[in-house]
Amino acid sequence: MRVKVSELIEGCILQKDVTGMTVYPLVPKKTVLNPIHLDVLKRFSIDSVEVERTLVDGTLFKPQTTAEDASEQKIEEIPLSFTESYLKAIREFKQEFTKWQSGGAIDFMKVRSIIMPLLKKVIETPENLHTIRHYSNPKDYLYHHSVAVGIISGMLAKKLGYDVGIYNQAALGGMLSDCGMARIRASILEKKSLSQWEFQEIREHTLNSYKMVKDTSLLKPEIKLAIYQHHERLDGTGYPGGEKAEKIHMMSRIIAVADVYHAMTSERAYRSKQSPFKVLEMIMEDSFGQFDISVVKALFSLIGDLSIGTKVRLSNGEEASVIFTKREALTRPLVKLEKSEEIIDLVQNRNIFIEDVI
């Protein structure tokens, strides 16, 4: 909806780029507005902007007036967008996680009701995978991470050819892989840097998670194992058991890739979010031997395989269109700059990479 800048508050999410006098957006779409953004919009005399109806915390944004002067009743009758559905799921998952922190048991049917509609939406429109990383923030990272890992795990399992029953289970397993964090002291979860002993306590979340799910009949045994093993690495460098390839289940390998991908592309307390395309290259090159290559290739296909004509923003700020992709270099297609129409081969120009899909 279009809202007057004077009505905006911190946590609003832009639906469209806000443009200024240059070729670059003043504030790009998908940005979660903070006080600095609000000040910039006012200083540049921007009258109104397009924002989501939902704030980043999942609550409905209710400005006193909108540019269209739409009634609240009409707004609520419009079906939820993917972003709104996603943020609603984050709010619901946070409520469940808080119950677990107080010693409550997992309501598996409730968890299923949170993740399944989102997975269905992403299956219908895979491009939604590119949006979820924008809404994570350091304060609520754990909740965003759990929901996102569930979605990505389900999509990876589907991409690898598993049937609906299995990829739905993979989504549930991914979402619950960090449920054991609810048994870690809250003071540790909130810290930016950890001592050796605190880091060891964090590592215990895999065992905690397994204990929380082991007695349910709603998860398959291999999914329970995957929840326990999702930090294992094929070369034996992972935890909790330092297991190697032959002892790490395929479901564990799927959730492991989903987990590290979302962690690296999200804003953290100690690091800004990174480009999905740069992260894909890092997983393939820097972490070679740690992850199952078939799962990594499935992730490349889900995230990096852009169709001809896809609009992207490059790391140098330029906007471009994909004009040709190479199977052996999906993250570095041939692109044409929007303004100059110059054609750039990102394989030959390694200093430039795709920052985001727009």
Side-chain angles (χ1 to χ4, degrees):
M1 61 182 174
R2 180 163 287 276
V3 177
K4 295 283 188 179
V5 167
S6 59
E7 295 279 346
L8 295 175
I9 62 174
E10 187 175 353
C12 286
I13 303 169
L14 285 183
Q15 279 188 324
K16 297 181 179 179
D17 288 342
V18 178
T19 56
M21 300 297 291
T22 69
V23 297
Y24 309 121
L26 189 61
V27 187
K29 68 178 181 181
K30 304 175 189 173
T31 296
V32 178
L33 298 180
N34 61 32
I36 296 176
H37 298 128
L38 296 176
D39 184 57
V40 167
L41 294 173
K42 291 174 183 177
R43 287 178 182 273
F44 278 79
S45 301
I46 304 299
D47 179 65
S48 61
V49 297
E50 293 280 351
V51 296
E52 297 283 353
R53 293 173 298 163
T54 305
L55 298 172
V56 73
D57 65 2
T59 59
L60 187 66
F61 177 41
K62 297 181 179 180
Q64 291 183 0
T65 59
T66 67
E68 299 96 338
D69 197 26
S71 70
E72 181 179 322
Q73 181 179 5
K74 288 181 180 179
I75 290 174
E76 291 180 346
E77 288 174 355
I78 302 172
L80 293 180
S81 67
F82 173 77
T83 295
E84 292 163 342
S85 297
Y86 171 77
L87 294 175
K88 178 175 178 285
I90 298 299
R91 189 174 75 250
E92 292 177 348
F93 181 82
K94 184 176 182 178
Q95 293 171 346
E96 295 303 303
F97 190 88
T98 301
K99 294 175 186 177
W100 306 339
Q101 286 181 305
S102 301
I106 296 175
D107 182 342
F108 289 94
M109 294 308 294
K110 176 62 178 177
V111 170
R112 182 181 176 85
S113 74
I114 293 172
I115 192 65
M116 289 304 138
L118 287 178
L119 180 61
K120 183 174 184 293
K121 283 179 178 288
V122 176
I123 289 172
E124 292 171 350
T125 312
E127 292 79 11
N128 285 325
L129 277 177
H130 287 284
T131 69
I132 56 179
R133 73 185 189 95
H134 291 286
Y135 309 128
S136 182
N137 59 78
K139 180 182 176 182
D140 290 334
Y141 168 75
L142 185 56
Y143 318 120
H144 284 271
H145 185 63
S146 297
V147 174
V149 170
I151 295 170
I152 299 168
S153 296
M155 291 298 290
L156 286 173
K158 185 176 188 299
K159 192 71 177 179
L160 288 164
Y162 290 96
D163 64 31
V164 61
I166 298 300
Y167 68 67
N168 282 345
Q169 282 275 306
L172 283 169
M175 189 176 188
L176 291 170
S177 59
D178 281 349
C179 67
M181 288 290 191
R183 301 291 189 258
I184 304 297
R185 287 177 291 162
S187 59
I188 291 181
L189 295 179
E190 295 166 0
K191 294 184 69 171
K192 292 184 179 180
S193 61
L194 302 174
S195 69
Q196 177 183 349
W197 307 112
E198 289 168 335
F199 184 64
Q200 186 57 43
E201 184 172 341
I202 288 287
R203 284 187 164 202
E204 292 175 4
H205 81 275
T206 54
L207 179 58
N208 295 338
S209 298
Y210 177 75
K211 289 178 178 178
M212 291 171 68
V213 304
K214 66 182 179 65
D215 294 326
T216 183
S217 61
L218 298 178
L219 290 178
K220 292 181 177 292
E222 58 266 34
I223 299 300
K224 297 175 186 178
L225 178 61
I227 288 171
Y228 179 69
Q229 286 189 332
H230 74 281
H231 280 292
E232 298 286 5
R233 299 293 180 258
L234 301 188
D235 60 2
T237 59
Y239 67 89
E243 303 288 3
K244 291 193 175 182
E246 63 276 5
K247 292 188 177 181
I248 302 175
H249 196 278
M250 190 62 185
M251 288 295 119
S252 310
R253 302 179 187 200
I254 288 172
I255 297 176
V257 170
D259 176 84
V260 73
Y261 169 77
H262 184 261
M264 294 175 71
T265 57
S266 300
E267 182 181 1
R268 308 290 295 275
Y270 53 86
R271 189 196 64 222
S272 59
K273 59 188 177 185
Q274 301 180 77
S275 158
F277 299 87
K278 195 68 175 175
V279 166
L280 287 174
E281 293 177 358
M282 292 167 67
I283 291 174
M284 180 65 84
E285 298 167 8
D286 299 346
S287 302
F288 184 78
Q290 294 187 359
F291 300 103
D292 187 288
I293 192 64
S294 66
V295 181
V296 173
K297 286 182 177 179
L299 182 64
F300 264 75
S301 182
L302 282 174
I303 303 295
D305 194 2
L306 302 177
S307 59
I308 305 303
T310 300
K311 305 291 186 182
V312 297
R313 182 173 290 112
L314 303 178
S315 56
N316 62 2
E318 293 267 15
E319 293 185 2
S321 298
V322 174
I323 60 174
F324 183 74
T325 58
K326 307 172 185 178
R327 300 307 304 175
E328 69 278 10
L330 289 177
T331 58
R332 293 188 167 274
L334 216 62
V335 299
K336 183 169 74 172
L337 300 184
E338 292 291 293
K339 295 297 182 180
S340 66
E341 296 192 344
E342 177 187 357
I343 294 176
I344 297 178
D345 185 345
L346 296 180
V347 171
Q348 300 298 321
N349 292 267
R350 304 294 297 184
N351 59 317
I352 302 175
F353 55 87
I354 296 175
E355 187 67 48
D356 201 7
V357 173
I358 58 178

